[in-house]
Each structure stands twice: as structure tokens, then as C-alpha cells.
Amino acid sequence: MNQELLHKFFNDEPFKSERMCGLTNFVYKVSTTKQSVIYRRYTSTFRLFQNREREVRLQSELAQLELAPKVLYSDQLQRIEEFWPYLPVTLSEIKEDYIEVARMLGSFHKLRNRNSFVEIFDTPSIYQWLHNTNLRDEIFDVILDSNCQQLYTIFEQVFSDQNQTFILELFKDPSLRELPLVIAHNDLNATNFLKDQRLMKYHLIDFEFAGLNYPGYELANFFNEMEWDYTFSEPPFFKIKEGWQEDLKLNFLREYWKEYANSNEIPQALLRQIEIGGILQNYFWMLIGGLSMQQEQQGIDLVYYVNRRMMNFNKVLKLKQ
């Protein structure tokens, strides 16, 4: 943490800090006797996927709508933002409150209609990320520096010609052009949800990966991440839980689509996008796992993490062959 900046921010009043969750940057709750803030120290680990200036601009726009914490200070290395005193949630809570969560997400996606948001972005996030020509070389450089032969072998398979051809073909699917792009969060795991217990209302935090994207990718990422519990203090620091049944997913989608499109009929294009998004999101988080090897504090068993993502990806690949 930047002690000098925080002393200045708090007018030299004594403060204490508490490390919070955060794999893609280092997040602390910093408190005095009068107030608490969130302090984020950026890393350069995921610069191929993140744009800090754009992230701050988006969060500032959302804060005006009371949809995100206010940004109190920001530069190229760090950020101080408002602390929201809402409670973290569990996978089971999200499942129990799926109607409220579905409506919240549908409302969030309707922000695509605001020009101020659309102007921030251009290309669909997942398309931009997976077509980055520097991606392969950077990941192999990180893995070689970490001297992890097991991950090197895995990523040789990840970047095989067969897999690359498969991914490129997915982006040609007509369903990706049949629905409007949305302003997506792109990282809908349970740690990025907070709940106002008084109003029984859900909020999203951490917009590092947010951007324009296919709605089906966002929804697929949500469904898949509801199987990943990151709250464990022992290795591998996460646990795979049972996923949602198909009937619950459909009920969620009906509530989402009613809020988003004011319609009771889920389009087939959205269901197809979710199928494609489920493949792409496992592939994407494999890449994040590989790049994470250069983090100062990983807080997760990355070899096991990447292996699990690869298993999910390979299941789908075998079904398609």
C-alpha cells in the first residue's frame, strides 16, 4: 500500500488496513475511527485484458447512478474508492435469491441504451481478448519464468492448432450477431456480489473486466461461476460445487429476459450464445490462470485451477468432435 498517499487522504489520522479478496489486483479495506475506504493497488499482470482509464471512467458513470462505489482518487498505480457496507454473499444465497439477481442483471444490461456507456467501448470484450496477437507469447514467457513444466504442457495443448481453429469457428456463429451487445460485468463470481440486507437488494462490485460483450457470454460466465466457491482458506483455496439444474437456469433466464427485454419468450439466439459463452469463458479463465503465475501473492492453486478449466473445456471439445 502507498502509506504516504493514505496518510494524505486521511489528513494524517491513524488508520488500519485489512487485506480483502482480489486475485487481479491487491484490495484492502482501510479504516480510521471516522470512515472506511477501499484501496486498490493495480498490477500489470492482466494489462492485455484491462484498461484502467476506461475502468475508472465506467465506474464513475455507474457511481452517478448509484450502481457502483464512487472513485475518490485514481492514478495509474492505485485507486481509492467508497466502501460499501453491504454484506458478501454465498453461492447458496444467490441461488435462493435468483429472481432478484436475474432482475438486477437484466437491468444492468439495459445500460447499453445509454450513449455515455456505449461510447466507452468498441469491440466485444471476449473477441478482443482472444484475438490479441501478444497473448500466447506473454503467457509462455510467464510460465517459463515460473519454471512450471506442468503448466507449460497444459498451455501447449491450450494453444494447439486444433483448439485455436475451434475457438475461431465459434466466433462465426450467427447467434453472436442476432442480439444487441450489452455493457457486461464479465466477472460474475460470487465474490463480486454484495447484498443490502435491509432492502434485500444485490449490488455488483469490481468492474476490472467490464466492457461491451455478448449477453450470452455474461450469462454463461455467471452460470459457470456459480460452481466455483473461492471462500476456502486451505489449498487449493477454492472448491467446485454442484451447478444449477437446467430448470433453474431457465427460470433465471425468464426473469432476466422479462427485465431486460420486457418479453416472456427467451430467444433461441440467447440460448445458443450461452452455449458458446460457456466454452469461451472456461478458455478465458485458463488464460487468466496462466498469467497469474507472475502475481506476488497468488492465493490460489493455479495449476489445479487451470487443470479444472481445461477439463471443462475438453469435455465440450470432445462432444463437438
Side-chain angles (χ1 to χ4, degrees):
M1 289 193 305
N2 187 329
Q3 300 285 333
E4 183 179 351
L5 171 65
L6 289 167
H7 278 296
K8 183 177 180 180
F9 181 84
F10 288 122
N11 294 317
D12 289 326
E13 184 176 353
F15 60 83
K16 60 181 181 179
S17 63
E18 173 190 353
R19 176 72 194 276
M20 304 185 74
C21 61
L23 177 63
T24 54
N25 57 48
F26 300 109
V27 183
Y28 301 85
K29 177 185 175 184
V30 185
S31 304
T32 68
T33 56
K34 299 178 181 177
Q35 67 170 316
S36 295
V37 297
I38 292 295
Y39 172 83
R40 298 179 185 275
R41 181 166 65 83
Y42 301 146
T43 72
S44 60
T45 304
F46 309 104
R47 62 185 180 276
L48 296 178
F49 303 132
Q50 296 172 329
N51 181 317
R52 296 299 184 185
E53 182 178 346
R54 188 176 64 186
E55 177 192 347
V56 170
R57 183 180 170 191
L58 173 66
Q59 183 162 334
S60 298
E61 292 276 356
L62 291 170
Q64 293 182 34
L65 300 173
E66 299 183 348
L67 297 176
K70 295 177 182 176
V71 177
L72 306 176
Y73 174 86
S74 179
D75 60 34
Q76 293 299 311
L77 300 176
Q78 60 210 334
R79 182 164 85 241
I80 298 174
E81 63 188 52
E82 179 183 21
F83 172 73
W84 273 4
Y86 305 131
L87 296 178
V89 299
T90 64
L91 293 176
S92 59
E93 282 182 286
I94 293 177
K95 189 174 184 179
E96 291 168 4
D97 294 344
Y98 77 89
I99 293 177
E100 176 63 31
V101 176
R103 291 172 179 171
M104 181 270 287
L105 189 56
S107 179
F108 181 74
H109 283 175
K110 284 195 291 190
L111 293 174
R112 68 178 178 84
N113 298 322
R114 297 176 63 91
N115 290 334
S116 58
F117 288 105
V118 176
E119 289 169 0
I120 300 175
F121 306 101
D122 43 26
T123 308
S125 303
I126 191 64
Y127 183 92
Q128 176 184 338
W129 293 334
L130 298 191
H131 286 73
N132 191 311
T133 56
N134 297 319
L135 190 54
R136 183 184 185 280
D137 289 343
E138 179 141 351
I139 286 180
F140 275 118
D141 285 346
V142 169
I143 293 171
L144 285 170
D145 287 344
S146 66
N147 197 29
C148 183
Q149 182 59 45
Q150 190 174 355
L151 271 188
Y152 190 90
T153 302
I154 292 172
F155 276 96
E156 282 186 318
Q157 182 183 354
V158 170
F159 289 110
S160 68
D161 290 342
Q162 179 189 28
N163 283 345
Q164 295 303 298
T165 299
F166 178 58
I167 292 294
L168 290 173
E169 286 299 314
L170 290 177
F171 282 106
K172 297 177 183 179
D173 194 281
S175 68
L176 299 183
R177 295 180 289 279
E178 291 180 25
L179 297 173
L181 298 167
V182 299
I183 300 297
H185 183 279
N186 287 327
D187 190 12
L188 293 178
N189 69 70
T191 66
N192 288 331
F193 286 85
L194 295 178
K195 185 178 181 180
D196 182 339
Q197 297 284 6
R198 183 174 61 88
L199 298 177
M200 301 302 288
K201 183 178 180 180
Y202 282 82
H203 301 273
L204 291 173
I205 56 171
D206 292 355
F207 296 91
E208 294 175 278
F209 293 102
L212 205 62
N213 216 341
Y214 307 107
Y217 178 87
E218 175 94 306
L219 292 162
N221 189 78
F222 170 78
F223 289 137
N224 285 0
E225 292 308 293
M226 290 303 101
E227 301 176 13
W228 293 71
D229 188 340
Y230 297 102
T231 61
F232 290 84
S233 58
E234 299 294 330
F237 304 105
F238 65 89
K239 195 169 185 178
I240 308 298
K241 298 292 187 71
E242 182 182 356
W244 288 16
Q245 298 295 320
E246 290 304 312
D247 58 343
L248 181 58
K249 290 182 182 180
L250 285 174
N251 288 338
F252 181 95
L253 291 175
R254 289 189 188 100
E255 295 295 332
Y256 164 84
W257 196 250
K258 280 193 289 188
E259 178 66 33
Y260 172 74
N262 195 29
S263 171
N264 292 317
E265 187 174 350
I266 305 169
Q268 287 300 311
L270 182 64
L271 297 176
R272 175 57 181 160
Q273 279 194 13
I274 291 171
E275 182 183 352
I276 294 170
I279 303 167
L280 294 178
Q281 76 97 34
N282 273 306
Y283 188 84
F284 173 71
W285 292 114
M286 271 195 289
L287 305 179
I288 291 293
L291 287 174
S292 297
M293 291 298 293
Q294 65 181 303
Q295 289 279 67
E296 296 173 26
Q297 304 173 46
Q298 295 162 2
I300 194 169
D301 184 336
L302 291 170
V303 174
Y304 183 52
Y305 176 88
V306 172
N307 262 310
R308 288 297 310 218
R309 295 289 186 181
M310 192 68 184
M311 284 171 55
N312 293 345
F313 179 80
N314 281 335
K315 283 180 185 177
V316 177
L317 185 60
K318 288 176 182 178
L319 290 173
K320 296 293 181 182
Q321 290 174 338

mmCIF file of all heavy atoms in Angstrom, residues 252-281:
data_model
loop_
_atom_site.group_PDB
_atom_site.id
_atom_site.type_symbol
_atom_site.label_atom_id
_atom_site.label_comp_id
_atom_site.label_asym_id
_atom_site.label_seq_id
_atom_site.Cartn_x
_atom_site.Cartn_y
_atom_site.Cartn_z
ATOM 1 N N PHE A 252 -34.290 -18.595 -14.257
ATOM 2 C CA PHE A 252 -33.449 -17.403 -14.136
ATOM 3 C C PHE A 252 -33.497 -16.591 -15.436
ATOM 4 O O PHE A 252 -33.673 -15.376 -15.411
ATOM 5 C CB PHE A 252 -32.012 -17.818 -13.822
ATOM 6 C CG PHE A 252 -31.058 -16.658 -13.645
ATOM 7 C CD1 PHE A 252 -30.783 -16.172 -12.379
ATOM 8 C CD2 PHE A 252 -30.425 -16.071 -14.739
ATOM 9 C CE1 PHE A 252 -29.899 -15.107 -12.209
ATOM 10 C CE2 PHE A 252 -29.549 -15.002 -14.574
ATOM 11 C CZ PHE A 252 -29.276 -14.530 -13.301
ATOM 12 N N LEU A 253 -33.349 -17.270 -16.568
ATOM 13 C CA LEU A 253 -33.342 -16.585 -17.862
ATOM 14 C C LEU A 253 -34.682 -15.921 -18.152
ATOM 15 O O LEU A 253 -34.723 -14.840 -18.748
ATOM 16 C CB LEU A 253 -32.975 -17.561 -18.974
ATOM 17 C CG LEU A 253 -31.526 -18.067 -18.968
ATOM 18 C CD1 LEU A 253 -31.327 -19.121 -20.052
ATOM 19 C CD2 LEU A 253 -30.552 -16.912 -19.161
ATOM 20 N N ARG A 254 -35.772 -16.550 -17.747
ATOM 21 C CA ARG A 254 -37.090 -15.936 -17.961
ATOM 22 C C ARG A 254 -37.206 -14.630 -17.184
ATOM 23 O O ARG A 254 -37.695 -13.617 -17.721
ATOM 24 C CB ARG A 254 -38.188 -16.910 -17.535
ATOM 25 C CG ARG A 254 -38.352 -18.108 -18.460
ATOM 26 C CD ARG A 254 -39.595 -18.916 -18.107
ATOM 27 N NE ARG A 254 -39.618 -20.145 -18.889
ATOM 28 C CZ ARG A 254 -39.239 -21.329 -18.422
ATOM 29 N NH1 ARG A 254 -38.801 -21.449 -17.165
ATOM 30 N NH2 ARG A 254 -39.289 -22.403 -19.194
ATOM 31 N N GLU A 255 -36.754 -14.627 -15.936
ATOM 32 C CA GLU A 255 -36.809 -13.409 -15.133
ATOM 33 C C GLU A 255 -35.866 -12.344 -15.700
ATOM 34 O O GLU A 255 -36.207 -11.162 -15.747
ATOM 35 C CB GLU A 255 -36.441 -13.707 -13.678
ATOM 36 C CG GLU A 255 -37.412 -14.620 -12.957
ATOM 37 C CD GLU A 255 -38.788 -13.989 -12.808
ATOM 38 O OE1 GLU A 255 -38.876 -12.741 -12.765
ATOM 39 O OE2 GLU A 255 -39.780 -14.745 -12.722
ATOM 40 N N TYR A 256 -34.684 -12.793 -16.113
ATOM 41 C CA TYR A 256 -33.714 -11.875 -16.733
ATOM 42 C C TYR A 256 -34.296 -11.243 -17.995
ATOM 43 O O TYR A 256 -34.232 -10.020 -18.183
ATOM 44 C CB TYR A 256 -32.430 -12.643 -17.065
ATOM 45 C CG TYR A 256 -31.523 -11.927 -18.041
ATOM 46 C CD1 TYR A 256 -30.624 -10.960 -17.614
ATOM 47 C CD2 TYR A 256 -31.581 -12.220 -19.415
ATOM 48 C CE1 TYR A 256 -29.801 -10.296 -18.511
ATOM 49 C CE2 TYR A 256 -30.765 -11.562 -20.325
ATOM 50 C CZ TYR A 256 -29.873 -10.602 -19.867
ATOM 51 O OH TYR A 256 -29.071 -9.947 -20.769
ATOM 52 N N TRP A 257 -34.865 -12.072 -18.857
ATOM 53 C CA TRP A 257 -35.337 -11.578 -20.152
ATOM 54 C C TRP A 257 -36.564 -10.679 -19.988
ATOM 55 O O TRP A 257 -36.736 -9.721 -20.734
ATOM 56 C CB TRP A 257 -35.635 -12.744 -21.093
ATOM 57 C CG TRP A 257 -35.742 -12.310 -22.528
ATOM 58 C CD1 TRP A 257 -36.866 -12.268 -23.293
ATOM 59 C CD2 TRP A 257 -34.671 -11.837 -23.364
ATOM 60 N NE1 TRP A 257 -36.574 -11.796 -24.548
ATOM 61 C CE2 TRP A 257 -35.232 -11.530 -24.623
ATOM 62 C CE3 TRP A 257 -33.310 -11.643 -23.170
ATOM 63 C CZ2 TRP A 257 -34.475 -11.030 -25.677
ATOM 64 C CZ3 TRP A 257 -32.546 -11.152 -24.224
ATOM 65 C CH2 TRP A 257 -33.127 -10.854 -25.454
ATOM 66 N N LYS A 258 -37.418 -10.966 -19.008
ATOM 67 C CA LYS A 258 -38.560 -10.095 -18.735
ATOM 68 C C LYS A 258 -38.086 -8.702 -18.325
ATOM 69 O O LYS A 258 -38.662 -7.695 -18.732
ATOM 70 C CB LYS A 258 -39.450 -10.699 -17.648
ATOM 71 C CG LYS A 258 -40.388 -11.777 -18.151
ATOM 72 C CD LYS A 258 -41.463 -12.119 -17.135
ATOM 73 C CE LYS A 258 -40.914 -12.851 -15.959
ATOM 74 N NZ LYS A 258 -41.988 -13.357 -15.052
ATOM 75 N N GLU A 259 -37.042 -8.660 -17.515
ATOM 76 C CA GLU A 259 -36.499 -7.370 -17.074
ATOM 77 C C GLU A 259 -35.755 -6.677 -18.198
ATOM 78 O O GLU A 259 -35.896 -5.468 -18.402
ATOM 79 C CB GLU A 259 -35.568 -7.584 -15.879
ATOM 80 C CG GLU A 259 -34.906 -6.314 -15.371
ATOM 81 C CD GLU A 259 -35.897 -5.332 -14.786
ATOM 82 O OE1 GLU A 259 -36.909 -5.770 -14.198
ATOM 83 O OE2 GLU A 259 -35.656 -4.109 -14.907
ATOM 84 N N TYR A 260 -34.957 -7.433 -18.932
ATOM 85 C CA TYR A 260 -34.104 -6.854 -19.977
ATOM 86 C C TYR A 260 -34.893 -6.457 -21.218
ATOM 87 O O TYR A 260 -34.705 -5.375 -21.775
ATOM 88 C CB TYR A 260 -33.005 -7.859 -20.348
ATOM 89 C CG TYR A 260 -32.175 -7.447 -21.540
ATOM 90 C CD1 TYR A 260 -31.231 -6.436 -21.434
ATOM 91 C CD2 TYR A 260 -32.336 -8.076 -22.780
ATOM 92 C CE1 TYR A 260 -30.476 -6.045 -22.525
ATOM 93 C CE2 TYR A 260 -31.577 -7.700 -23.878
ATOM 94 C CZ TYR A 260 -30.647 -6.680 -23.741
ATOM 95 O OH TYR A 260 -29.904 -6.304 -24.825
ATOM 96 N N ALA A 261 -35.783 -7.324 -21.690
ATOM 97 C CA ALA A 261 -36.451 -7.115 -22.979
ATOM 98 C C ALA A 261 -37.965 -6.984 -22.869
ATOM 99 O O ALA A 261 -38.646 -6.849 -23.886
ATOM 100 C CB ALA A 261 -36.111 -8.271 -23.928
ATOM 101 N N ASN A 262 -38.487 -7.050 -21.625
ATOM 102 C CA ASN A 262 -39.937 -6.957 -21.414
ATOM 103 C C ASN A 262 -40.682 -8.002 -22.236
ATOM 104 O O ASN A 262 -41.704 -7.725 -22.871
ATOM 105 C CB ASN A 262 -40.442 -5.556 -21.749
ATOM 106 C CG ASN A 262 -41.839 -5.297 -21.213
ATOM 107 O OD1 ASN A 262 -42.232 -5.872 -20.196
ATOM 108 N ND2 ASN A 262 -42.606 -4.459 -21.892
ATOM 109 N N SER A 263 -40.156 -9.224 -22.228
ATOM 110 C CA SER A 263 -40.740 -10.317 -23.004
ATOM 111 C C SER A 263 -40.645 -11.602 -22.195
ATOM 112 O O SER A 263 -39.703 -11.788 -21.411
ATOM 113 C CB SER A 263 -40.006 -10.478 -24.332
ATOM 114 O OG SER A 263 -40.410 -11.655 -25.001
ATOM 115 N N ASN A 264 -41.608 -12.484 -22.395
ATOM 116 C CA ASN A 264 -41.614 -13.771 -21.698
ATOM 117 C C ASN A 264 -40.971 -14.887 -22.511
ATOM 118 O O ASN A 264 -40.813 -16.000 -22.009
ATOM 119 C CB ASN A 264 -43.053 -14.171 -21.352
ATOM 120 C CG ASN A 264 -43.665 -13.255 -20.314
ATOM 121 O OD1 ASN A 264 -43.014 -12.897 -19.340
ATOM 122 N ND2 ASN A 264 -44.915 -12.871 -20.529
ATOM 123 N N GLU A 265 -40.606 -14.619 -23.750
ATOM 124 C CA GLU A 265 -40.079 -15.659 -24.644
ATOM 125 C C GLU A 265 -38.568 -15.513 -24.808
ATOM 126 O O GLU A 265 -38.083 -14.547 -25.391
ATOM 127 C CB GLU A 265 -40.762 -15.574 -26.014
ATOM 128 C CG GLU A 265 -40.391 -16.714 -26.932
ATOM 129 C CD GLU A 265 -41.177 -16.693 -28.236
ATOM 130 O OE1 GLU A 265 -42.131 -15.895 -28.333
ATOM 131 O OE2 GLU A 265 -40.834 -17.464 -29.140
ATOM 132 N N ILE A 266 -37.832 -16.458 -24.258
ATOM 133 C CA ILE A 266 -36.367 -16.427 -24.362
ATOM 134 C C ILE A 266 -35.965 -16.758 -25.792
ATOM 135 O O ILE A 266 -36.316 -17.823 -26.312
ATOM 136 C CB ILE A 266 -35.734 -17.453 -23.408
ATOM 137 C CG1 ILE A 266 -36.214 -17.237 -21.985
ATOM 138 C CG2 ILE A 266 -34.211 -17.391 -23.480
ATOM 139 C CD1 ILE A 266 -35.852 -18.365 -21.036
ATOM 140 N N PRO A 267 -35.229 -15.892 -26.478
ATOM 141 C CA PRO A 267 -34.855 -16.183 -27.870
ATOM 142 C C PRO A 267 -33.851 -17.327 -27.969
ATOM 143 O O PRO A 267 -32.986 -17.494 -27.105
ATOM 144 C CB PRO A 267 -34.246 -14.858 -28.340
ATOM 145 C CG PRO A 267 -33.827 -14.153 -27.120
ATOM 146 C CD PRO A 267 -34.754 -14.577 -26.022
ATOM 147 N N GLN A 268 -33.951 -18.098 -29.022
ATOM 148 C CA GLN A 268 -33.024 -19.194 -29.252
ATOM 149 C C GLN A 268 -31.593 -18.687 -29.417
ATOM 150 O O GLN A 268 -30.632 -19.375 -29.044
ATOM 151 C CB GLN A 268 -33.446 -19.996 -30.490
ATOM 152 C CG GLN A 268 -34.679 -20.855 -30.285
ATOM 153 C CD GLN A 268 -34.483 -21.890 -29.188
ATOM 154 O OE1 GLN A 268 -33.485 -22.612 -29.154
ATOM 155 N NE2 GLN A 268 -35.447 -21.956 -28.268
ATOM 156 N N ALA A 269 -31.456 -17.489 -29.961
ATOM 157 C CA ALA A 269 -30.116 -16.929 -30.141
ATOM 158 C C ALA A 269 -29.417 -16.747 -28.798
ATOM 159 O O ALA A 269 -28.203 -16.944 -28.682
ATOM 160 C CB ALA A 269 -30.190 -15.594 -30.879
ATOM 161 N N LEU A 270 -30.176 -16.374 -27.765
ATOM 162 C CA LEU A 270 -29.574 -16.205 -26.443
ATOM 163 C C LEU A 270 -29.125 -17.560 -25.891
ATOM 164 O O LEU A 270 -28.029 -17.675 -25.326
ATOM 165 C CB LEU A 270 -30.566 -15.557 -25.491
ATOM 166 C CG LEU A 270 -30.030 -15.272 -24.082
ATOM 167 C CD1 LEU A 270 -28.894 -14.257 -24.132
ATOM 168 C CD2 LEU A 270 -31.145 -14.785 -23.154
ATOM 169 N N LEU A 271 -29.938 -18.577 -26.044
ATOM 170 C CA LEU A 271 -29.568 -19.907 -25.560
ATOM 171 C C LEU A 271 -28.323 -20.420 -26.277
ATOM 172 O O LEU A 271 -27.442 -21.041 -25.655
ATOM 173 C CB LEU A 271 -30.734 -20.877 -25.756
ATOM 174 C CG LEU A 271 -32.008 -20.545 -24.979
ATOM 175 C CD1 LEU A 271 -33.119 -21.533 -25.342
ATOM 176 C CD2 LEU A 271 -31.759 -20.565 -23.476
ATOM 177 N N ARG A 272 -28.233 -20.162 -27.567
ATOM 178 C CA ARG A 272 -27.046 -20.572 -28.321
ATOM 179 C C ARG A 272 -25.816 -19.774 -27.870
ATOM 180 O O ARG A 272 -24.730 -20.328 -27.716
ATOM 181 C CB ARG A 272 -27.297 -20.388 -29.822
ATOM 182 C CG ARG A 272 -26.092 -20.655 -30.723
ATOM 183 C CD ARG A 272 -25.528 -22.045 -30.552
ATOM 184 N NE ARG A 272 -24.369 -22.258 -31.419
ATOM 185 C CZ ARG A 272 -23.460 -23.200 -31.217
ATOM 186 N NH1 ARG A 272 -23.567 -24.035 -30.187
ATOM 187 N NH2 ARG A 272 -22.437 -23.332 -32.046
ATOM 188 N N GLN A 273 -25.995 -18.477 -27.634
ATOM 189 C CA GLN A 273 -24.883 -17.668 -27.130
ATOM 190 C C GLN A 273 -24.385 -18.188 -25.785
ATOM 191 O O GLN A 273 -23.175 -18.184 -25.517
ATOM 192 C CB GLN A 273 -25.319 -16.206 -26.972
ATOM 193 C CG GLN A 273 -25.302 -15.392 -28.242
ATOM 194 C CD GLN A 273 -25.398 -13.909 -27.955
ATOM 195 O OE1 GLN A 273 -25.239 -13.453 -26.824
ATOM 196 N NE2 GLN A 273 -25.658 -13.126 -28.994
ATOM 197 N N ILE A 274 -25.301 -18.635 -24.935
ATOM 198 C CA ILE A 274 -24.907 -19.168 -23.629
ATOM 199 C C ILE A 274 -24.086 -20.447 -23.803
ATOM 200 O O ILE A 274 -23.098 -20.670 -23.094
ATOM 201 C CB ILE A 274 -26.155 -19.416 -22.761
ATOM 202 C CG1 ILE A 274 -26.792 -18.081 -22.376
ATOM 203 C CG2 ILE A 274 -25.813 -20.230 -21.515
ATOM 204 C CD1 ILE A 274 -28.134 -18.204 -21.699
ATOM 205 N N GLU A 275 -24.480 -21.277 -24.762
ATOM 206 C CA GLU A 275 -23.706 -22.489 -25.049
ATOM 207 C C GLU A 275 -22.289 -22.134 -25.487
ATOM 208 O O GLU A 275 -21.304 -22.714 -25.009
ATOM 209 C CB GLU A 275 -24.410 -23.291 -26.142
ATOM 210 C CG GLU A 275 -23.720 -24.593 -26.501
ATOM 211 C CD GLU A 275 -24.409 -25.334 -27.630
ATOM 212 O OE1 GLU A 275 -25.508 -24.910 -28.043
ATOM 213 O OE2 GLU A 275 -23.836 -26.332 -28.117
ATOM 214 N N ILE A 276 -22.178 -21.175 -26.386
ATOM 215 C CA ILE A 276 -20.860 -20.738 -26.862
ATOM 216 C C ILE A 276 -20.085 -20.060 -25.737
ATOM 217 O O ILE A 276 -18.891 -20.299 -25.534
ATOM 218 C CB ILE A 276 -21.013 -19.778 -28.058
ATOM 219 C CG1 ILE A 276 -21.604 -20.528 -29.251
ATOM 220 C CG2 ILE A 276 -19.681 -19.133 -28.436
ATOM 221 C CD1 ILE A 276 -22.020 -19.618 -30.387
ATOM 222 N N GLY A 277 -20.795 -19.214 -24.974
ATOM 223 C CA GLY A 277 -20.141 -18.489 -23.887
ATOM 224 C C GLY A 277 -19.581 -19.396 -22.825
ATOM 225 O O GLY A 277 -18.537 -19.109 -22.231
ATOM 226 N N GLY A 278 -20.252 -20.533 -22.578
ATOM 227 C CA GLY A 278 -19.741 -21.480 -21.599
ATOM 228 C C GLY A 278 -18.398 -22.046 -21.987
ATOM 229 O O GLY A 278 -17.547 -22.331 -21.133
ATOM 230 N N ILE A 279 -18.186 -22.212 -23.277
ATOM 231 C CA ILE A 279 -16.893 -22.699 -23.776
ATOM 232 C C ILE A 279 -15.839 -21.603 -23.664
ATOM 233 O O ILE A 279 -14.733 -21.815 -23.150
ATOM 234 C CB ILE A 279 -17.026 -23.162 -25.245
ATOM 235 C CG1 ILE A 279 -18.102 -24.238 -25.378
ATOM 236 C CG2 ILE A 279 -15.682 -23.664 -25.771
ATOM 237 C CD1 ILE A 279 -18.508 -24.532 -26.803
ATOM 238 N N LEU A 280 -16.200 -20.420 -24.141
ATOM 239 C CA LEU A 280 -15.232 -19.320 -24.193
ATOM 240 C C LEU A 280 -14.806 -18.862 -22.807
ATOM 241 O O LEU A 280 -13.644 -18.497 -22.608
ATOM 242 C CB LEU A 280 -15.817 -18.150 -24.976
ATOM 243 C CG LEU A 280 -16.063 -18.378 -26.473
ATOM 244 C CD1 LEU A 280 -16.694 -17.143 -27.106
ATOM 245 C CD2 LEU A 280 -14.761 -18.731 -27.193
ATOM 246 N N GLN A 281 -15.728 -18.882 -21.841
ATOM 247 C CA GLN A 281 -15.359 -18.365 -20.529
ATOM 248 C C GLN A 281 -14.379 -19.304 -19.829
ATOM 249 O O GLN A 281 -13.467 -18.850 -19.143
ATOM 250 C CB GLN A 281 -16.600 -18.083 -19.685
ATOM 251 C CG GLN A 281 -17.292 -19.272 -19.086
ATOM 252 C CD GLN A 281 -16.886 -19.522 -17.653
ATOM 253 O OE1 GLN A 281 -16.626 -18.605 -16.888
ATOM 254 N NE2 GLN A 281 -16.820 -20.804 -17.287
#
